[in-house]
Every structure is written in structure tokens, then in C-alpha cells.
PDB file of all heavy atoms in Angstrom:
ATOM      1  N   ARG A  18      22.795  18.326  33.556  1.00 96.00           N
ATOM      2  CA  ARG A  18      21.358  18.497  33.807  1.00 96.00           C
ATOM      3  C   ARG A  18      20.608  18.509  32.465  1.00 96.00           C
ATOM      4  O   ARG A  18      20.981  19.236  31.542  1.00 96.00           O
ATOM      5  CB  ARG A  18      21.142  19.816  34.543  1.00 96.00           C
ATOM      6  CG  ARG A  18      19.685  20.133  34.832  1.00 96.00           C
ATOM      7  CD  ARG A  18      19.564  21.500  35.481  1.00 96.00           C
ATOM      8  NE  ARG A  18      18.167  21.819  35.721  1.00 96.00           N
ATOM      9  CZ  ARG A  18      17.683  22.212  36.892  1.00 96.00           C
ATOM     10  NH1 ARG A  18      18.494  22.359  37.919  1.00 96.00           N
ATOM     11  NH2 ARG A  18      16.410  22.493  37.030  1.00 96.00           N
ATOM     12  N   PRO A  19      19.542  17.730  32.321  1.00 97.00           N
ATOM     13  CA  PRO A  19      18.820  17.708  31.035  1.00 97.00           C
ATOM     14  C   PRO A  19      18.028  18.999  30.810  1.00 97.00           C
ATOM     15  O   PRO A  19      17.661  19.699  31.766  1.00 97.00           O
ATOM     16  CB  PRO A  19      17.895  16.501  31.159  1.00 97.00           C
ATOM     17  CG  PRO A  19      17.722  16.288  32.627  1.00 97.00           C
ATOM     18  CD  PRO A  19      18.978  16.763  33.284  1.00 97.00           C
ATOM     19  N   LEU A  20      17.768  19.288  29.571  1.00 98.00           N
ATOM     20  CA  LEU A  20      16.966  20.447  29.176  1.00 98.00           C
ATOM     21  C   LEU A  20      15.500  20.176  29.538  1.00 98.00           C
ATOM     22  O   LEU A  20      14.955  19.137  29.174  1.00 98.00           O
ATOM     23  CB  LEU A  20      17.113  20.636  27.664  1.00 98.00           C
ATOM     24  CG  LEU A  20      16.645  21.919  27.010  1.00 98.00           C
ATOM     25  CD1 LEU A  20      17.476  23.106  27.476  1.00 98.00           C
ATOM     26  CD2 LEU A  20      16.736  21.788  25.487  1.00 98.00           C
ATOM     27  N   ASP A  21      14.885  21.105  30.249  1.00 98.00           N
ATOM     28  CA  ASP A  21      13.470  20.965  30.617  1.00 98.00           C
ATOM     29  C   ASP A  21      12.612  21.580  29.513  1.00 98.00           C
ATOM     30  O   ASP A  21      12.342  22.778  29.510  1.00 98.00           O
ATOM     31  CB  ASP A  21      13.211  21.649  31.963  1.00 98.00           C
ATOM     32  CG  ASP A  21      11.759  21.555  32.402  1.00 98.00           C
ATOM     33  OD1 ASP A  21      10.975  20.860  31.719  1.00 98.00           O
ATOM     34  OD2 ASP A  21      11.403  22.184  33.419  1.00 98.00           O
ATOM     35  N   GLU A  22      12.179  20.733  28.587  1.00 98.00           N
ATOM     36  CA  GLU A  22      11.463  21.249  27.407  1.00 98.00           C
ATOM     37  C   GLU A  22      10.066  21.763  27.735  1.00 98.00           C
ATOM     38  O   GLU A  22       9.460  22.439  26.897  1.00 98.00           O
ATOM     39  CB  GLU A  22      11.422  20.184  26.321  1.00 98.00           C
ATOM     40  CG  GLU A  22      12.811  19.892  25.765  1.00 98.00           C
ATOM     41  CD  GLU A  22      12.794  18.973  24.545  1.00 98.00           C
ATOM     42  OE1 GLU A  22      11.696  18.649  24.046  1.00 98.00           O
ATOM     43  OE2 GLU A  22      13.889  18.589  24.097  1.00 98.00           O
ATOM     44  N   LYS A  23       9.567  21.490  28.935  1.00 98.00           N
ATOM     45  CA  LYS A  23       8.251  22.044  29.309  1.00 98.00           C
ATOM     46  C   LYS A  23       8.285  23.571  29.299  1.00 98.00           C
ATOM     47  O   LYS A  23       7.269  24.218  29.066  1.00 98.00           O
ATOM     48  CB  LYS A  23       7.829  21.547  30.696  1.00 98.00           C
ATOM     49  CG  LYS A  23       7.478  20.080  30.772  1.00 98.00           C
ATOM     50  CD  LYS A  23       6.663  19.747  32.023  1.00 98.00           C
ATOM     51  CE  LYS A  23       7.408  20.016  33.310  1.00 98.00           C
ATOM     52  NZ  LYS A  23       8.610  19.163  33.490  1.00 98.00           N
ATOM     53  N   VAL A  24       9.468  24.142  29.551  1.00 98.00           N
ATOM     54  CA  VAL A  24       9.621  25.601  29.538  1.00 98.00           C
ATOM     55  C   VAL A  24       9.281  26.177  28.159  1.00 98.00           C
ATOM     56  O   VAL A  24       8.848  27.324  28.046  1.00 98.00           O
ATOM     57  CB  VAL A  24      11.066  25.973  29.957  1.00 98.00           C
ATOM     58  CG1 VAL A  24      11.337  27.463  29.787  1.00 98.00           C
ATOM     59  CG2 VAL A  24      11.320  25.556  31.402  1.00 98.00           C
ATOM     60  N   PHE A  25       9.463  25.365  27.109  1.00 98.00           N
ATOM     61  CA  PHE A  25       9.242  25.851  25.740  1.00 98.00           C
ATOM     62  C   PHE A  25       7.783  25.722  25.291  1.00 98.00           C
ATOM     63  O   PHE A  25       7.431  26.184  24.204  1.00 98.00           O
ATOM     64  CB  PHE A  25      10.122  25.075  24.757  1.00 98.00           C
ATOM     65  CG  PHE A  25      11.602  25.157  25.039  1.00 98.00           C
ATOM     66  CD1 PHE A  25      12.446  24.115  24.677  1.00 98.00           C
ATOM     67  CD2 PHE A  25      12.160  26.272  25.645  1.00 98.00           C
ATOM     68  CE1 PHE A  25      13.813  24.178  24.918  1.00 98.00           C
ATOM     69  CE2 PHE A  25      13.526  26.345  25.900  1.00 98.00           C
ATOM     70  CZ  PHE A  25      14.349  25.286  25.535  1.00 98.00           C
ATOM     71  N   GLU A  26       6.945  25.083  26.092  1.00 98.00           N
ATOM     72  CA  GLU A  26       5.565  24.830  25.638  1.00 98.00           C
ATOM     73  C   GLU A  26       4.767  26.111  25.370  1.00 98.00           C
ATOM     74  O   GLU A  26       4.065  26.194  24.363  1.00 98.00           O
ATOM     75  CB  GLU A  26       4.841  23.926  26.640  1.00 98.00           C
ATOM     76  CG  GLU A  26       5.310  22.481  26.559  1.00 98.00           C
ATOM     77  CD  GLU A  26       4.707  21.582  27.637  1.00 98.00           C
ATOM     78  OE1 GLU A  26       3.825  22.061  28.410  1.00 98.00           O
ATOM     79  OE2 GLU A  26       5.120  20.404  27.701  1.00 98.00           O
ATOM     80  N   PRO A  27       4.860  27.165  26.233  1.00 98.00           N
ATOM     81  CA  PRO A  27       4.073  28.366  25.939  1.00 98.00           C
ATOM     82  C   PRO A  27       4.411  28.994  24.580  1.00 98.00           C
ATOM     83  O   PRO A  27       3.510  29.390  23.835  1.00 98.00           O
ATOM     84  CB  PRO A  27       4.418  29.315  27.094  1.00 98.00           C
ATOM     85  CG  PRO A  27       4.810  28.407  28.213  1.00 98.00           C
ATOM     86  CD  PRO A  27       5.510  27.257  27.558  1.00 98.00           C
ATOM     87  N   VAL A  28       5.701  29.089  24.245  1.00 98.00           N
ATOM     88  CA  VAL A  28       6.056  29.727  22.971  1.00 98.00           C
ATOM     89  C   VAL A  28       5.622  28.853  21.791  1.00 98.00           C
ATOM     90  O   VAL A  28       5.156  29.358  20.765  1.00 98.00           O
ATOM     91  CB  VAL A  28       7.559  30.089  22.907  1.00 98.00           C
ATOM     92  CG1 VAL A  28       8.454  28.870  22.864  1.00 98.00           C
ATOM     93  CG2 VAL A  28       7.843  30.960  21.683  1.00 98.00           C
ATOM     94  N   CYS A  29       5.733  27.540  21.926  1.00 98.00           N
ATOM     95  CA  CYS A  29       5.298  26.666  20.825  1.00 98.00           C
ATOM     96  C   CYS A  29       3.787  26.740  20.639  1.00 98.00           C
ATOM     97  O   CYS A  29       3.292  26.768  19.503  1.00 98.00           O
ATOM     98  CB  CYS A  29       5.762  25.239  21.083  1.00 98.00           C
ATOM     99  SG  CYS A  29       7.562  25.046  20.971  1.00 98.00           S
ATOM    100  N   ASN A  30       3.047  26.799  21.752  1.00 98.00           N
ATOM    101  CA  ASN A  30       1.588  26.972  21.647  1.00 98.00           C
ATOM    102  C   ASN A  30       1.236  28.316  21.019  1.00 98.00           C
ATOM    103  O   ASN A  30       0.291  28.414  20.223  1.00 98.00           O
ATOM    104  CB  ASN A  30       0.941  26.857  23.040  1.00 98.00           C
ATOM    105  CG  ASN A  30       0.936  25.432  23.555  1.00 98.00           C
ATOM    106  OD1 ASN A  30       0.945  24.479  22.767  1.00 98.00           O
ATOM    107  ND2 ASN A  30       0.926  25.262  24.870  1.00 98.00           N
ATOM    108  N   ALA A  31       2.005  29.355  21.364  1.00 98.00           N
ATOM    109  CA  ALA A  31       1.752  30.678  20.773  1.00 98.00           C
ATOM    110  C   ALA A  31       1.996  30.657  19.266  1.00 98.00           C
ATOM    111  O   ALA A  31       1.237  31.256  18.496  1.00 98.00           O
ATOM    112  CB  ALA A  31       2.636  31.728  21.449  1.00 98.00           C
ATOM    113  N   ILE A  32       3.044  29.958  18.836  1.00 98.00           N
ATOM    114  CA  ILE A  32       3.316  29.853  17.390  1.00 98.00           C
ATOM    115  C   ILE A  32       2.127  29.206  16.679  1.00 98.00           C
ATOM    116  O   ILE A  32       1.688  29.675  15.615  1.00 98.00           O
ATOM    117  CB  ILE A  32       4.614  29.067  17.133  1.00 98.00           C
ATOM    118  CG1 ILE A  32       5.831  29.917  17.524  1.00 98.00           C
ATOM    119  CG2 ILE A  32       4.727  28.637  15.661  1.00 98.00           C
ATOM    120  CD1 ILE A  32       7.159  29.164  17.500  1.00 98.00           C
ATOM    121  N   ARG A  33       1.581  28.141  17.260  1.00 98.00           N
ATOM    122  CA  ARG A  33       0.423  27.471  16.639  1.00 98.00           C
ATOM    123  C   ARG A  33      -0.751  28.433  16.497  1.00 98.00           C
ATOM    124  O   ARG A  33      -1.428  28.467  15.465  1.00 98.00           O
ATOM    125  CB  ARG A  33       0.008  26.253  17.473  1.00 98.00           C
ATOM    126  CG  ARG A  33       1.029  25.128  17.471  1.00 98.00           C
ATOM    127  CD  ARG A  33       0.552  23.896  18.252  1.00 98.00           C
ATOM    128  NE  ARG A  33       1.653  22.949  18.362  1.00 98.00           N
ATOM    129  CZ  ARG A  33       2.455  22.829  19.424  1.00 98.00           C
ATOM    130  NH1 ARG A  33       2.247  23.593  20.489  1.00 98.00           N
ATOM    131  NH2 ARG A  33       3.435  21.962  19.438  1.00 98.00           N
ATOM    132  N   LYS A  34      -0.974  29.232  17.535  1.00 98.00           N
ATOM    133  CA  LYS A  34      -2.111  30.164  17.513  1.00 98.00           C
ATOM    134  C   LYS A  34      -1.904  31.284  16.497  1.00 98.00           C
ATOM    135  O   LYS A  34      -2.830  31.670  15.789  1.00 98.00           O
ATOM    136  CB  LYS A  34      -2.339  30.731  18.924  1.00 98.00           C
ATOM    137  CG  LYS A  34      -2.876  29.675  19.886  1.00 98.00           C
ATOM    138  CD  LYS A  34      -2.878  30.137  21.341  1.00 98.00           C
ATOM    139  CE  LYS A  34      -3.394  29.006  22.230  1.00 98.00           C
ATOM    140  NZ  LYS A  34      -3.339  29.336  23.659  1.00 98.00           N
ATOM    141  N   VAL A  35      -0.674  31.819  16.438  1.00 98.00           N
ATOM    142  CA  VAL A  35      -0.384  32.885  15.462  1.00 98.00           C
ATOM    143  C   VAL A  35      -0.511  32.339  14.049  1.00 98.00           C
ATOM    144  O   VAL A  35      -1.138  32.959  13.173  1.00 98.00           O
ATOM    145  CB  VAL A  35       1.024  33.470  15.691  1.00 98.00           C
ATOM    146  CG1 VAL A  35       1.384  34.447  14.573  1.00 98.00           C
ATOM    147  CG2 VAL A  35       1.101  34.164  17.045  1.00 98.00           C
ATOM    148  N   LYS A  36       0.085  31.175  13.816  1.00 98.00           N
ATOM    149  CA  LYS A  36       0.064  30.589  12.459  1.00 98.00           C
ATOM    150  C   LYS A  36      -1.366  30.441  11.960  1.00 98.00           C
ATOM    151  O   LYS A  36      -1.669  30.703  10.793  1.00 98.00           O
ATOM    152  CB  LYS A  36       0.778  29.237  12.507  1.00 98.00           C
ATOM    153  CG  LYS A  36       0.907  28.535  11.169  1.00 98.00           C
ATOM    154  CD  LYS A  36       2.041  29.124  10.347  1.00 98.00           C
ATOM    155  CE  LYS A  36       2.146  28.445   8.993  1.00 98.00           C
ATOM    156  NZ  LYS A  36       2.430  27.017   9.096  1.00 98.00           N
ATOM    157  N   ALA A  37      -2.270  30.014  12.846  1.00 98.00           N
ATOM    158  CA  ALA A  37      -3.662  29.812  12.448  1.00 98.00           C
ATOM    159  C   ALA A  37      -4.364  31.125  12.101  1.00 98.00           C
ATOM    160  O   ALA A  37      -5.344  31.132  11.351  1.00 98.00           O
ATOM    161  CB  ALA A  37      -4.417  29.106  13.575  1.00 98.00           C
ATOM    162  N   ALA A  38      -3.849  32.237  12.630  1.00 98.00           N
ATOM    163  CA  ALA A  38      -4.514  33.533  12.444  1.00 98.00           C
ATOM    164  C   ALA A  38      -3.850  34.420  11.393  1.00 98.00           C
ATOM    165  O   ALA A  38      -4.381  35.477  11.060  1.00 98.00           O
ATOM    166  CB  ALA A  38      -4.555  34.273  13.779  1.00 98.00           C
ATOM    167  N   LEU A  39      -2.696  34.021  10.864  1.00 98.00           N
ATOM    168  CA  LEU A  39      -1.952  34.889   9.946  1.00 98.00           C
ATOM    169  C   LEU A  39      -2.597  34.957   8.565  1.00 98.00           C
ATOM    170  O   LEU A  39      -3.113  33.961   8.067  1.00 98.00           O
ATOM    171  CB  LEU A  39      -0.512  34.375   9.779  1.00 98.00           C
ATOM    172  CG  LEU A  39       0.502  34.704  10.865  1.00 98.00           C
ATOM    173  CD1 LEU A  39       1.849  34.082  10.516  1.00 98.00           C
ATOM    174  CD2 LEU A  39       0.645  36.207  11.063  1.00 98.00           C
ATOM    175  N   PRO A  40      -2.505  36.130   7.913  1.00 97.00           N
ATOM    176  CA  PRO A  40      -2.859  36.194   6.497  1.00 97.00           C
ATOM    177  C   PRO A  40      -1.958  35.252   5.691  1.00 97.00           C
ATOM    178  O   PRO A  40      -0.802  35.030   6.074  1.00 97.00           O
ATOM    179  CB  PRO A  40      -2.594  37.660   6.122  1.00 97.00           C
ATOM    180  CG  PRO A  40      -2.528  38.400   7.412  1.00 97.00           C
ATOM    181  CD  PRO A  40      -2.062  37.426   8.446  1.00 97.00           C
ATOM    182  N   PRO A  41      -2.463  34.697   4.581  1.00 97.00           N
ATOM    183  CA  PRO A  41      -1.684  33.709   3.825  1.00 97.00           C
ATOM    184  C   PRO A  41      -0.319  34.216   3.348  1.00 97.00           C
ATOM    185  O   PRO A  41       0.618  33.429   3.219  1.00 97.00           O
ATOM    186  CB  PRO A  41      -2.585  33.388   2.626  1.00 97.00           C
ATOM    187  CG  PRO A  41      -3.959  33.761   3.056  1.00 97.00           C
ATOM    188  CD  PRO A  41      -3.811  34.886   4.031  1.00 97.00           C
ATOM    189  N   LYS A  42      -0.169  35.527   3.132  1.00 98.00           N
ATOM    190  CA  LYS A  42       1.094  36.046   2.584  1.00 98.00           C
ATOM    191  C   LYS A  42       2.199  36.174   3.631  1.00 98.00           C
ATOM    192  O   LYS A  42       3.360  36.374   3.306  1.00 98.00           O
ATOM    193  CB  LYS A  42       0.866  37.410   1.915  1.00 98.00           C
ATOM    194  CG  LYS A  42       0.854  38.586   2.883  1.00 98.00           C
ATOM    195  CD  LYS A  42       0.797  39.910   2.160  1.00 98.00           C
ATOM    196  CE  LYS A  42       1.059  41.090   3.096  1.00 98.00           C
ATOM    197  NZ  LYS A  42       2.452  41.396   3.322  1.00 98.00           N
ATOM    198  N   VAL A  43       1.839  36.077   4.933  1.00 98.00           N
ATOM    199  CA  VAL A  43       2.796  36.361   6.005  1.00 98.00           C
ATOM    200  C   VAL A  43       3.465  35.070   6.486  1.00 98.00           C
ATOM    201  O   VAL A  43       2.799  34.086   6.793  1.00 98.00           O
ATOM    202  CB  VAL A  43       2.120  37.077   7.188  1.00 98.00           C
ATOM    203  CG1 VAL A  43       3.127  37.356   8.302  1.00 98.00           C
ATOM    204  CG2 VAL A  43       1.492  38.391   6.719  1.00 98.00           C
ATOM    205  N   THR A  44       4.800  35.105   6.553  1.00 98.00           N
ATOM    206  CA  THR A  44       5.596  33.956   6.976  1.00 98.00           C
ATOM    207  C   THR A  44       5.754  33.953   8.493  1.00 98.00           C
ATOM    208  O   THR A  44       6.066  34.989   9.090  1.00 98.00           O
ATOM    209  CB  THR A  44       6.986  34.015   6.304  1.00 98.00           C
ATOM    210  OG1 THR A  44       6.807  34.008   4.886  1.00 98.00           O
ATOM    211  CG2 THR A  44       7.856  32.830   6.701  1.00 98.00           C
ATOM    212  N   MET A  45       5.571  32.779   9.086  1.00 98.00           N
ATOM    213  CA  MET A  45       5.741  32.616  10.540  1.00 98.00           C
ATOM    214  C   MET A  45       7.203  32.361  10.850  1.00 98.00           C
ATOM    215  O   MET A  45       7.814  31.436  10.315  1.00 98.00           O
ATOM    216  CB  MET A  45       4.901  31.422  11.009  1.00 98.00           C
ATOM    217  CG  MET A  45       4.941  31.174  12.497  1.00 98.00           C
ATOM    218  SD  MET A  45       3.899  32.318  13.420  1.00 98.00           S
ATOM    219  CE  MET A  45       5.094  33.016  14.574  1.00 98.00           C
ATOM    220  N   LEU A  46       7.786  33.191  11.733  1.00 98.00           N
ATOM    221  CA  LEU A  46       9.208  33.089  12.082  1.00 98.00           C
ATOM    222  C   LEU A  46       9.386  32.749  13.557  1.00 98.00           C
ATOM    223  O   LEU A  46       8.693  33.286  14.419  1.00 98.00           O
ATOM    224  CB  LEU A  46       9.922  34.415  11.788  1.00 98.00           C
ATOM    225  CG  LEU A  46       9.906  34.892  10.333  1.00 98.00           C
ATOM    226  CD1 LEU A  46      10.467  36.306  10.238  1.00 98.00           C
ATOM    227  CD2 LEU A  46      10.698  33.947   9.443  1.00 98.00           C
ATOM    228  N   GLY A  47      10.331  31.852  13.838  1.00 98.00           N
ATOM    229  CA  GLY A  47      10.753  31.569  15.203  1.00 98.00           C
ATOM    230  C   GLY A  47      12.177  32.059  15.409  1.00 98.00           C
ATOM    231  O   GLY A  47      12.830  32.516  14.471  1.00 98.00           O
ATOM    232  N   PHE A  48      12.676  31.940  16.639  1.00 98.00           N
ATOM    233  CA  PHE A  48      14.049  32.399  16.885  1.00 98.00           C
ATOM    234  C   PHE A  48      14.609  31.780  18.155  1.00 98.00           C
ATOM    235  O   PHE A  48      13.875  31.243  18.991  1.00 98.00           O
ATOM    236  CB  PHE A  48      14.112  33.929  16.971  1.00 98.00           C
ATOM    237  CG  PHE A  48      13.560  34.514  18.232  1.00 98.00           C
ATOM    238  CD1 PHE A  48      14.379  34.773  19.327  1.00 98.00           C
ATOM    239  CD2 PHE A  48      12.209  34.819  18.343  1.00 98.00           C
ATOM    240  CE1 PHE A  48      13.869  35.321  20.500  1.00 98.00           C
ATOM    241  CE2 PHE A  48      11.685  35.377  19.508  1.00 98.00           C
ATOM    242  CZ  PHE A  48      12.525  35.624  20.591  1.00 98.00           C
ATOM    243  N   ALA A  49      15.917  31.897  18.296  1.00 98.00           N
ATOM    244  CA  ALA A  49      16.613  31.483  19.523  1.00 98.00           C
ATOM    245  C   ALA A  49      17.860  32.339  19.674  1.00 98.00           C
ATOM    246  O   ALA A  49      18.352  32.940  18.716  1.00 98.00           O
ATOM    247  CB  ALA A  49      16.992  30.000  19.462  1.00 98.00           C
ATOM    248  N   GLY A  50      18.387  32.360  20.901  1.00 98.00           N
ATOM    249  CA  GLY A  50      19.651  33.030  21.163  1.00 98.00           C
ATOM    250  C   GLY A  50      20.812  32.120  20.795  1.00 98.00           C
ATOM    251  O   GLY A  50      20.733  30.892  20.944  1.00 98.00           O
ATOM    252  N   ALA A  51      21.898  32.715  20.307  1.00 98.00           N
ATOM    253  CA  ALA A  51      23.088  31.945  19.922  1.00 98.00           C
ATOM    254  C   ALA A  51      23.909  31.595  21.172  1.00 98.00           C
ATOM    255  O   ALA A  51      23.805  32.257  22.209  1.00 98.00           O
ATOM    256  CB  ALA A  51      23.924  32.743  18.928  1.00 98.00           C
ATOM    257  N   PRO A  52      24.743  30.556  21.072  1.00 98.00           N
ATOM    258  CA  PRO A  52      25.449  30.049  22.257  1.00 98.00           C
ATOM    259  C   PRO A  52      26.265  31.096  23.021  1.00 98.00           C
ATOM    260  O   PRO A  52      26.180  31.167  24.255  1.00 98.00           O
ATOM    261  CB  PRO A  52      26.328  28.931  21.691  1.00 98.00           C
ATOM    262  CG  PRO A  52      25.565  28.448  20.492  1.00 98.00           C
ATOM    263  CD  PRO A  52      24.911  29.665  19.915  1.00 98.00           C
ATOM    264  N   TRP A  53      27.058  31.912  22.307  1.00 98.00           N
ATOM    265  CA  TRP A  53      27.885  32.884  23.043  1.00 98.00           C
ATOM    266  C   TRP A  53      27.018  33.886  23.807  1.00 98.00           C
ATOM    267  O   TRP A  53      27.288  34.204  24.969  1.00 98.00           O
ATOM    268  CB  TRP A  53      28.858  33.619  22.112  1.00 98.00           C
ATOM    269  CG  TRP A  53      29.277  34.960  22.662  1.00 98.00           C
ATOM    270  CD1 TRP A  53      28.989  36.184  22.159  1.00 98.00           C
ATOM    271  CD2 TRP A  53      30.031  35.208  23.880  1.00 98.00           C
ATOM    272  NE1 TRP A  53      29.493  37.185  22.968  1.00 98.00           N
ATOM    273  CE2 TRP A  53      30.140  36.612  24.026  1.00 98.00           C
ATOM    274  CE3 TRP A  53      30.601  34.386  24.846  1.00 98.00           C
ATOM    275  CZ2 TRP A  53      30.806  37.205  25.092  1.00 98.00           C
ATOM    276  CZ3 TRP A  53      31.265  34.981  25.926  1.00 98.00           C
ATOM    277  CH2 TRP A  53      31.370  36.373  26.039  1.00 98.00           C
TER     278      TRP A  53
END
């Protein structure tokens, strides 16, 4: 079964919004769960 990437759209949109609002000194971090 293929990965349904539409499920990831809300978090990617949230990253864009946070990045635009962050102070310049703050690094934007993402994450995922490991396979096991």
C-alpha cells in the first residue's frame, strides 16, 4: 500500500507558519518516529 502523503500536509503547513513567526535566533526542528 502506498504512503498517503496527504496525511502529512497539516504538520508541514504548521512548520511553515511557525518558521515565519520564529525569532531569528531560534532553530526550527522537525521529527519522526523510528522504525522499531
Side-chain angles (χ1 to χ4, degrees):
R18 178 184 178 128
L20 193 66
D21 179 6
E22 293 188 6
K23 290 198 298 296
V24 173
F25 302 151
E26 286 174 5
V28 68
C29 291
N30 288 334
I32 288 172
R33 293 183 188 98
K34 290 170 182 176
V35 173
K36 183 79 181 299
L39 280 179
K42 82 173 191 84
V43 180
T44 301
M45 182 78 236
L46 299 172
F48 74 93
W53 156 247

